[in-house]
Amino acid sequence: MAQSLMVLTADASIGKSVISLGLADQFERHGARTSYFKPVGTSVTGELDSDVMFVHKVMSSKLRPQDLVAVSTTDVCRAIAAHHYDEVLDRILEAHNRLAQSCDVIICEGVDSLRNFPSLESDFNLDIARNIDASILLVANGHKLGVEEVVSSISLTNSQLKEKGAQVCGVIINRVDEKLRGDFAEEARRQLRAEGIPLYGVLPHLNVLSSPRIRDVVRTLKAEMLVGDEQLATRVGKVLVAAMGLENALHYFEDGSLLITPGDREEILLAAAAAYGCEHCPRPAGVVLTGGFEPRRKVMQLVRSLSKGKLPIMRVSQNTYETAIAVNAIQPLLDAEQEDKALAIRAAMEEFIDVDRLVEQRFETTKRVVSPQRFMRTIRDMAKGQKKKIVLPEANVDRILKAAEALRRQDIVDVVLIGDELEIRKYAKQLDVTLDEHVEIVNPKTDPRFELYVQTLLEARKHKAMHEDVARDLMADRNYFGTMMVHLGHADGLVSGSTTTTQATLRPAFEFVRTRPGIQHVSSVFFMCLPDKVLVYGDCAVIPNPTAEQLADIAVASAETAAAFGIEPRVAMLSYSTGDSGKGADVDLVREATQLVLSRHPDMLIEGPIQYDAAIDPDVARTKLPNSKVAGRATVFIFPDLNTGNNTYKAVQRSAGAIAIGPVLQGLRKPVNDLSRGATITDIVNTVIVTAIQATTNPD
């Protein structure tokens, strides 16, 4: 039976949803099958609230979003009015029990009952907690409060809950000033220990959760976008009402500020756009034009040209005063599309919350499985211990910069960005992305290693009689320059491809990095993260119709990759036939490849030809290959061709709800990995982690 933990706050807007998501994610990473549960969800025109949609997407839940909610606030109000309160509790218990059938731990988000249901006589949260047998974790507000004040509030709430029979297991303090967090945490822990209240952590105030984005401004104001549709993710810092003359307004311009100005003040608009062409001028995050005015066509043409289309410009019908009040009142939502929020929450929970202690003290019976989250936690820790330097050439892409920030925030790798440093840092500031001292920015045009790189390329391509002018042009390319850094040991790996073709990413690696000794062919694997295990599939992305020699290379490289990531390699060479039961050219090819592998690596656990069911299912294996050490226990699956492999991994990914990490390239002397052009921030972070581990384990 699942164990339940209710996250409860004394006040609204302290971050229950954020803490609930963070805890659910961390329990998953500890190997517990975990679900988020919101007993009462707010609903607008029948739609689920943004918190539920955000958590559902971040956790990649196989359940439907509506399965995570029992009732709506409207349902509860109607039930109270009709004196059917017990029926609401029954519905919450039923929804909870459905989740409990497939979970070890359920993180239940408490209800703002006093605000939403002031007429309710009993304590709604305690009634829910009793019904679902949940322990309570208090979340206290530390924003702009002293330690004594916060501890006093916690002590009072804790006493009141225990008097009512609640099981309070401890407390988390949220939203403490980041500069004061360390001393605050130490003193709060000392005072709470004296009262016998476990403190599991103190979280800093996360600016990424509280500052709005341009999309929040557009949504709140119902604004019309005139320019900058692709800059909706830009974060807004200070709000500036620019109703004064240009000379005075310029004194108040700041990087990331949102300018609110009457639509006929074209000089303010032109100055904001011109800031994008000035090296030392602060760049506003956007401009809101009020009063319904639209600048003249030629002015807008000039604005687009000056800002290169990167300055978001919105128009509203309201006056300047009303607009400023509305913008300052924006409460950013947990938007399912804002992936950086999920990464910030995850990193903060990892760094500041002692989930290990909470698990050990309160959830000792939790079943451990190799979930996707647990696998990623394991390999992240592997990468973190090595601190490799990974090149991200596409520094002009917002997802890349946000991934770089997330990687540095978690101190996983050192990052190299390729491009003009001033432009990259300005763009990062516009996105509210922090690039610390461990982010190196290299400009090929000015780097002193440029000549060395050109000569190295000429030497590597002398058999092709490459001209020096061609080598110089190529080395000015970000991918070529970044790959050469890796080749010469000035960096450990490269990840690219979010805006370029696979060919553009891999061509430099094929030209001068080349393959490892003993491996003639570059291939790929996917890590298939199923609910209770992680499997390795190869090759699903590179070699269309492998020969027996290529298939053997794929098998050896895939086994080495599996071992590098802590997966014991038991290799299944897949075919439509198992053992000696089938005949034909395709089966013979797999049989030959298997023998080639065994001739080179006689100790490898490998079986082939073998069908997928015999490789994965112990019951089938006992019938078809009863004496095999691989059948029924395979961890590495080698497909006979790209058509089979690509379709299979996608079928498993979509049908079984698996997370597919890859393609991970293997066989190169130094790790270079390609991103899909739809790669998310999380995909980029995961690929960098994988690349860092490859850099640690691959022989040079």
Side-chain angles (χ1 to χ4, degrees):
M1 185 66 178
Q3 296 171 285
S4 299
L5 183 67
M6 175 178 277
V7 177
L8 198 58
T9 58
D11 305 303
S13 303
I14 298 178
K16 287 195 307 296
S17 296
V18 168
I19 301 294
S20 298
L21 165 63
L23 286 170
D25 178 74
Q26 290 304 306
F27 271 93
E28 278 277 352
R29 286 166 177 256
H30 278 73
R33 298 173 301 169
T34 309
S35 179
Y36 165 84
F37 179 50
K38 191 166 188 177
V40 182
T42 56
S43 59
V44 181
T45 63
E47 296 181 2
L48 288 172
D49 62 39
S50 61
D51 292 352
V52 173
M53 299 304 295
F54 179 74
V55 174
H56 182 267
K57 179 170 182 177
V58 170
M59 294 194 68
S60 303
S61 176
K62 298 185 291 296
L63 299 167
R64 300 173 304 166
Q66 53 265 41
D67 293 332
L68 308 181
V69 181
V71 293
S72 70
T73 51
T74 304
D75 293 332
V76 178
C77 290
R78 287 174 179 168
I80 293 171
H83 305 289
H84 294 156
Y85 176 59
D86 287 345
E87 292 182 8
V88 168
L89 293 176
D90 287 342
R91 288 177 61 184
I92 291 171
L93 179 60
E94 288 173 7
H96 172 273
N97 288 347
R98 284 194 294 271
L99 290 176
Q101 292 175 9
S102 58
C103 295
D104 301 311
V105 176
I106 296 175
I107 305 297
C108 173
E109 182 180 329
V111 182
D112 295 329
S113 54
L114 290 178
R115 183 177 65 174
N116 292 322
F117 318 113
S119 64
L120 192 58
E121 294 180 1
S122 64
D123 191 315
F124 194 14
N125 284 303
L126 294 189
D127 289 341
I128 294 171
R130 291 189 194 100
N131 254 22
I132 65 176
D133 192 26
S135 300
I136 289 175
L137 180 70
L138 285 174
V139 178
N141 182 18
H143 189 51
K144 296 183 179 179
L145 297 174
V147 176
E148 289 76 12
E149 192 175 356
V150 174
V151 170
S152 176
S153 174
I154 291 170
S155 180
L156 178 61
T157 305
N158 180 62
S159 297
Q160 291 172 340
L161 288 170
K162 286 196 170 181
E163 284 175 7
K164 296 175 182 178
Q167 307 170 50
V168 181
C169 69
V171 63
I172 288 173
I173 302 173
N174 194 22
R175 301 185 66 203
V176 173
D177 186 311
E178 188 171 9
K179 295 177 182 176
L180 306 176
R181 198 210 68 83
D183 293 338
F184 188 108
E186 185 177 343
E187 180 60 20
R189 185 170 286 107
R190 186 187 67 78
Q191 293 188 25
L192 288 169
R193 187 186 299 118
E195 298 200 27
I197 303 173
L199 175 63
Y200 290 111
V202 176
L203 286 167
H205 179 76
L206 297 175
N207 186 55
V208 69
L209 302 181
S210 58
S211 57
R213 294 180 180 275
I214 292 296
R215 64 162 58 90
D216 297 317
V217 176
V218 173
R219 184 192 66 245
T220 299
L221 300 180
K222 297 182 173 57
E224 176 190 359
M225 288 295 297
L226 301 180
V227 179
D229 285 336
E230 296 180 357
Q231 308 302 320
L232 294 176
T234 300
R235 196 172 297 286
V236 174
K238 189 174 180 179
V239 176
L240 170 64
V241 176
M244 68 287 282
L246 176 61
E247 183 177 356
N248 293 322
L250 285 174
H251 291 292
Y252 296 94
F253 275 31
E254 292 182 13
D255 282 319
S257 60
L258 180 70
L259 306 182
I260 300 176
T261 188
D264 57 355
R265 299 298 298 268
E266 293 175 338
E267 75 279 13
I268 298 289
L269 180 59
L270 285 166
Y276 279 75
C278 175
E279 289 187 359
H280 305 291
C281 294
R283 292 180 177 178
V287 179
V288 180
L289 303 175
T290 63
F293 300 108
E294 182 171 359
R296 288 169 290 180
R297 183 173 60 84
K298 288 196 174 295
V299 171
M300 289 302 294
Q301 286 177 344
L302 183 56
V303 165
R304 285 190 180 90
S305 176
L306 288 170
S307 69
K308 301 175 184 177
K310 292 184 177 180
L311 173 66
I313 303 172
M314 297 147 274
R315 183 175 67 160
V316 298
S317 58
Q318 298 96 323
N319 65 39
T320 303
Y321 177 72
E322 292 172 336
T323 303
I325 290 176
V327 171
N328 280 306
I330 291 175
Q331 292 290 331
L333 300 174
L334 286 177
D335 189 332
E337 300 306 316
Q338 294 183 14
E339 196 179 357
D340 56 338
K341 289 188 176 182
L343 292 169
I345 293 167
R346 182 172 289 159
M349 294 295 291
E350 286 273 355
E351 184 172 358
F352 302 116
I353 304 301
D354 192 354
V355 178
D356 287 342
R357 185 160 63 100
L358 180 59
V359 170
E360 290 167 4
Q361 293 180 356
R362 298 289 170 176
F363 296 89
E364 297 91 342
T365 60
T366 297
K367 180 184 176 183
R368 300 297 179 93
V369 296
V370 186
S371 65
Q373 290 84 354
R374 185 170 177 79
F375 175 69
M376 288 312 305
R377 178 191 174 101
T378 299
I379 66 172
R380 185 213 59 198
D381 290 344
M382 291 169 62
K384 196 171 183 178
Q386 300 297 324
K387 200 58 60 65
K388 294 298 182 180
K389 182 183 287 189
I390 305 300
V391 183
L392 301 174
E394 299 165 298
N396 59 332
V397 179
D398 59 352
R399 289 168 291 156
I400 296 293
L401 292 178
K402 290 172 184 175
E405 179 187 42
L407 289 159
R408 286 303 317 138
R409 190 192 301 121
Q410 297 179 63
D411 197 26
I412 297 172
V413 298
D414 291 338
V415 174
V416 179
L417 301 174
I418 307 292
D420 180 86
E421 182 167 7
L422 187 61
E423 281 298 312
I424 291 169
R425 292 201 179 278
K426 275 189 169 290
Y427 189 37
K429 197 164 187 178
Q430 182 181 343
L431 296 169
D432 195 29
V433 166
T434 301
L435 302 176
D436 70 10
E437 67 275 11
H438 294 285
V439 175
E440 180 184 353
I441 300 178
V442 175
N443 187 345
K445 296 177 182 177
T446 58
D447 192 275
R449 296 168 294 193
F450 186 82
E451 281 300 324
L452 169 65
Y453 288 6
V454 169
Q455 296 306 316
T456 304
L457 178 59
L458 284 170
E459 178 64 24
R461 304 300 289 168
K462 64 183 179 182
H463 63 290
K464 293 289 186 180
M466 178 178 283
H467 193 278
E468 185 169 337
D469 289 343
V470 174
R472 290 184 180 281
D473 288 342
L474 288 174
M475 204 45 62
D477 176 82
R478 296 192 216 203
N479 280 325
Y480 267 86
F481 192 91
T483 306
M484 188 60 79
M485 289 186 71
V486 176
H487 177 55
L488 294 182
H490 299 150
D492 300 302
L494 177 141
V495 173
S496 188
S498 70
T499 59
T500 57
T501 64
T502 297
Q503 187 179 28
T505 299
L506 300 185
R507 184 189 293 117
F510 288 157
E511 287 185 0
F512 52 83
V513 175
R514 301 188 180 128
T515 57
R516 299 200 315 267
I519 298 291
Q520 300 298 317
H521 308 95
V522 174
S523 59
S524 72
V525 294
F526 279 87
F527 291 102
M528 301 301 296
C529 300
L530 296 159
D532 60 346
K533 62 172 72 77
V534 179
L535 304 176
V536 176
Y537 282 8
D539 173 15
C540 304
V542 178
I543 304 176
N545 295 293
T547 63
E549 182 71 32
Q550 289 173 321
L551 210 52
D553 264 8
I554 294 168
V556 172
S558 299
E560 290 176 353
T561 299
F565 287 83
I567 300 169
E568 183 183 356
R570 295 187 290 272
V571 183
M573 304 292 284
L574 298 174
S575 176
Y576 61 77
S577 172
T578 295
D580 298 325
S581 64
K583 304 292 182 184
D586 293 337
V587 180
D588 292 341
L589 179 73
V590 173
R591 186 175 289 117
E592 181 185 351
T594 305
Q595 293 305 313
L596 282 172
V597 173
L598 285 170
S599 67
R600 300 175 194 167
H601 304 276
D603 296 331
M604 183 180 290
L605 292 177
I606 185 169
E607 190 71 66
I610 186 172
Q611 292 163 289
Y612 193 99
D613 59 349
I616 194 78
D617 189 323
D619 291 334
V620 176
R622 277 191 289 272
T623 301
K624 294 189 174 183
L625 284 173
N627 299 318
S628 173
K629 295 181 180 179
V630 173
R633 303 173 61 237
T635 55
V636 179
F637 295 76
I638 306 302
F639 294 92
D641 54 56
L642 186 60
N643 181 50
T644 307
N646 193 271
N647 277 296
T648 302
Y649 105 76
K650 288 179 178 175
V652 172
Q653 180 186 30
R654 302 298 179 185
S655 302
I659 296 175
I661 300 173
V664 177
L665 295 183
Q666 54 189 14
L668 289 167
R669 287 179 180 269
K670 301 286 183 71
V672 172
N673 279 309
D674 181 43
L675 297 165
S676 72
R677 274 172 274 187
T680 64
I681 301 169
T682 300
D683 293 334
I684 296 165
V685 169
N686 288 346
T687 304
V688 169
I689 290 171
V690 166
T691 306
I693 294 172
Q694 286 182 301
T696 301
T697 58
N698 278 5
D700 190 353

